[in-house]
Amino acid sequence: MSAFSINDLHDVFPFFTREEELRELYDSAIYKVVPSRTLLIREGQYLNSLPLVLNGSIRVFRQYEDREVLLYYVQRGETCIMSLTACFFSAPSQSQAITETETEILLVPTDKIFEWQKKFPAWNEFTLGTFKCRYEELLSAFSDVVFQDIETRLKTYLREYSLKYRTKKVPLTHELIARELGTTRVVISRLLKGMETAGKIKQRRGMIILQ
Amino acid sequence: MSAFSINDLHDVFPFFTREEELRELYDSAIYKVVPSRTLLIREGQYLNSLPLVLNGSIRVFRQYEDREVLLYYVQRGETCIMSLTACFFSAPSQSQAITETETEILLVPTDKIFEWQKKFPAWNEFTLGTFKCRYEELLSAFSDVVFQDIETRLKTYLREYSLKYRTKKVPLTHELIARELGTTRVVISRLLKGMETAGKIKQRRGMIILQ
DNA sequence: GAAGAACGGTGCCTTTTGTTACATAAAGCG
DNA sequence: CGCTTTATGTAACAAAAGGCACCGTTCTTC
């Protein structure tokens, strides 16, 4: 019934090298295709399984009153540390997760997490590595906010988007970028207009084109 | 030669409940007393052991050009996630660690880390829990910086210091607080003077007294 | 193709934060 | 005690960022 094979798994999660590990992942996880813009995890929800992403993108964020903070995106071959700790410590999720696009995921039952954590060093390394990576990202974002002005952060944001998706065309609205950077639309519009006038970018409706 | 017993260990690291675990920690770790203001870990250094703190306090921070960012303090019963990942992934440390006071530590050899990660679920839970905790802290600091003005952050900072050390007397200079919050001394002096005038605090040289 | 929604541009003003420069005061020390 | 260092106070100004209002443009949708 699943639209994927063990070979696919090996491509997506190369840290699982042993046949035994792949087999167990294949057998115990539930395959699921989730439509775009679907709320996967609500705040306060208890989790009984951990999502691994095969394809697509999940946006994980936290709500603070009326503002929200982007934590990270979970993409192909990745997992979600907030879910992992919620599972591991049987605690309610403090963040929310929503699919950005149609997303294929594997749901691993909580008891398997405990088991693998002991049994499969590769899995252990995967989770620890994910944590390390997310921590570094957040730290980098943190020091950017502390030490750099908004224009610099905006330029960095655009550059990283461009690198990540290998395109010079950034299909985001000013409003959206403003929310990501924790500021307001007017500020972003002003800065982008300045950059356009300076010839550093071009703009279309809903689209910023880097040089 | 060590100035501590297995019983001490149990008090400091209550997550190690089994005799076997405590025994192995006791036997394999090296006990060390480090004087105040000693640089324990330099940037770029490779680690072959992980510090656990018995008493005292280690300040872990990262340098960005001429600025520095405080990551966290490692205190009694805690360990350092930056060291953990540096050990685990055999990578050079990207941060620095310095003792704040005279500090008693246990140094656990890297190979034990790998072993315990598999063998002792309690240890696994400890490391994951530490990561979760540090991530939450950083996230909280991040959203404070994004959403709150400096005065609010300063008040939060003082309140938390007060809670942490259970005292109304905060023995920090304006300069030091400014560095922690990523701003300048003048700004902090201005705000504190304002708070003093408003009767919310009192000030002595090198000391802020909360009401 | 008309109405409404979403998107972006901009002027004007306020608030917040940073910078520079200098003054005063307390602590440390020979 | 006088000298030096460190900590703090403050004025004056500059720069960064935010808030509000209102506009025109471009999509969507019916």
Side-chain angles (χ1 to χ4, degrees):
Chain A
M1 69 167 256
S2 299
F4 72 104
S5 71
I6 288 204
N7 274 339
D8 293 338
L9 278 191
H10 183 260
D11 291 344
V12 185
F13 304 107
F15 57 92
F16 266 177
T17 47
R18 287 154 59 199
E19 177 68 22
E20 175 200 356
E21 295 163 342
L22 287 168
R23 167 61 57 190
E24 189 158 337
L25 174 56
Y26 188 83
D27 288 344
S28 56
I30 297 168
Y31 173 80
K32 210 166 178 180
V33 180
V34 184
S36 180
R37 314 298 309 161
T38 305
L39 192 65
L40 280 178
I41 299 169
R42 300 182 312 279
E43 213 174 314
Q45 184 179 347
Y46 285 85
L47 304 182
N48 49 23
S49 59
L50 175 70
L52 302 181
V53 172
L54 290 168
N55 272 306
S57 182
I58 301 174
R59 177 190 158 89
V60 181
F61 60 100
R62 182 170 291 196
Q63 202 94 31
Y64 284 97
E65 282 115 56
D66 60 333
R67 317 256 210 167
E68 67 182 45
V69 179
L70 169 71
L71 303 191
Y72 46 79
Y73 293 95
V74 186
Q75 295 179 316
R76 182 182 174 82
E78 298 179 344
T79 190
C80 170
I81 52 167
M82 297 314 277
S83 302
L84 177 66
T85 56
C87 283
F88 203 85
F89 296 103
S90 305
S93 171
Q94 294 184 42
S95 36
Q96 308 186 51
I98 189 169
T99 52
E100 285 255 297
T101 58
E102 184 178 276
T103 303
E104 294 175 82
I105 58 176
L106 288 179
L107 289 170
V108 181
T110 299
D111 52 341
K112 284 289 164 194
I113 307 297
F114 287 102
E115 215 181 300
W116 294 351
Q117 200 78 13
K118 284 177 278 185
K119 211 166 61 175
F120 298 147
W123 170 263
N124 212 311
E125 189 172 332
F126 172 61
T127 57
L128 205 56
T130 305
F131 244 119
K132 173 184 157 69
C133 180
R134 297 299 186 212
Y135 190 85
E136 297 283 350
E137 276 173 16
L138 183 54
L139 183 56
S140 165
F142 177 78
S143 45
D144 283 357
V145 173
V146 175
F147 297 128
Q148 310 205 307
D149 61 22
I150 297 192
E151 179 155 13
T152 310
R153 288 169 55 210
L154 175 58
K155 286 176 182 168
T156 304
Y157 181 81
L158 294 175
R159 187 163 5 95
E160 287 183 352
Y161 188 101
S162 165
L163 287 174
K164 185 167 173 188
Y165 293 103
R166 300 178 205 295
T167 170
K168 295 285 184 192
K169 295 183 180 179
V170 182
L172 304 173
T173 66
H174 297 185
E175 177 67 40
L176 216 144
I177 297 174
R179 295 188 71 84
E180 296 282 280
L181 298 182
T183 178
T184 60
R185 200 267 309 164
V186 180
V187 172
I188 297 297
S189 292
R190 222 156 25 208
L191 291 173
L192 284 174
K193 191 63 198 174
M195 290 163 64
E196 188 175 27
T197 307
K200 297 186 177 178
I201 58 166
K202 286 181 183 167
Q203 291 194 85
R204 303 277 171 280
R205 185 188 169 86
M207 171 82 66
I208 297 156
I209 301 158
L210 309 185
Q211 299 294 294
Chain B
M1 71 166 259
S2 300
F4 72 105
S5 70
I6 289 203
N7 274 339
D8 293 339
L9 278 190
H10 183 261
D11 291 345
V12 185
F13 304 108
F15 57 91
F16 265 177
T17 48
R18 287 155 56 199
E19 177 67 23
E20 175 198 357
E21 295 163 342
L22 287 168
R23 165 63 55 191
E24 189 157 337
L25 173 57
Y26 188 83
D27 288 345
S28 56
I30 296 168
Y31 174 79
K32 211 167 179 179
V33 180
V34 185
S36 179
R37 313 299 309 160
T38 306
L39 193 66
L40 279 178
I41 299 169
R42 300 182 312 278
E43 213 174 315
Q45 184 179 347
Y46 285 85
L47 303 183
N48 51 22
S49 59
L50 175 70
L52 302 182
V53 172
L54 289 168
N55 273 304
S57 181
I58 301 173
R59 178 190 157 90
V60 181
F61 60 101
R62 182 170 290 195
Q63 202 93 32
Y64 285 97
E65 282 115 58
D66 60 332
R67 317 253 212 170
E68 67 183 43
V69 179
L70 169 70
L71 302 191
Y72 46 79
Y73 294 95
V74 187
Q75 294 177 318
R76 181 183 174 80
E78 299 179 342
T79 190
C80 170
I81 52 168
M82 297 314 277
S83 302
L84 178 66
T85 56
C87 284
F88 203 86
F89 296 103
S90 304
S93 170
Q94 294 183 39
S95 36
Q96 308 186 50
I98 189 169
T99 51
E100 286 254 297
T101 58
E102 183 179 275
T103 303
E104 294 175 79
I105 59 176
L106 288 178
L107 289 170
V108 181
T110 299
D111 52 342
K112 284 289 165 191
I113 307 296
F114 287 102
E115 214 182 302
W116 294 353
Q117 200 77 15
K118 282 176 279 183
K119 212 166 60 173
F120 298 148
W123 170 263
N124 212 312
E125 190 172 331
F126 173 61
T127 57
L128 206 55
T130 305
F131 244 119
K132 173 184 158 67
C133 180
R134 297 299 185 210
Y135 190 84
E136 297 283 350
E137 276 173 16
L138 182 55
L139 183 56
S140 166
F142 177 78
S143 44
D144 282 358
V145 173
V146 174
F147 297 128
Q148 310 205 307
D149 60 22
I150 297 190
E151 179 156 12
T152 310
R153 288 168 54 211
L154 174 58
K155 286 177 181 167
T156 305
Y157 181 80
L158 293 176
R159 189 166 0 96
E160 288 183 349
Y161 188 100
S162 165
L163 287 173
K164 186 167 172 189
Y165 293 104
R166 301 179 205 295
T167 171
K168 295 285 183 192
K169 295 183 179 178
V170 182
L172 304 172
T173 66
H174 298 183
E175 178 68 41
L176 216 145
I177 296 174
R179 294 187 72 86
E180 295 282 279
L181 298 182
T183 178
T184 59
R185 201 267 311 165
V186 181
V187 172
I188 298 298
S189 291
R190 208 153 42 203
L191 292 173
L192 284 175
K193 193 62 198 170
M195 290 162 65
E196 188 175 26
T197 306
K200 297 185 177 179
I201 58 167
K202 286 180 184 167
Q203 290 194 87
R204 302 276 171 280
R205 184 187 168 89
M207 170 82 66
I208 297 156
I209 302 160
L210 309 185
Q211 298 295 293

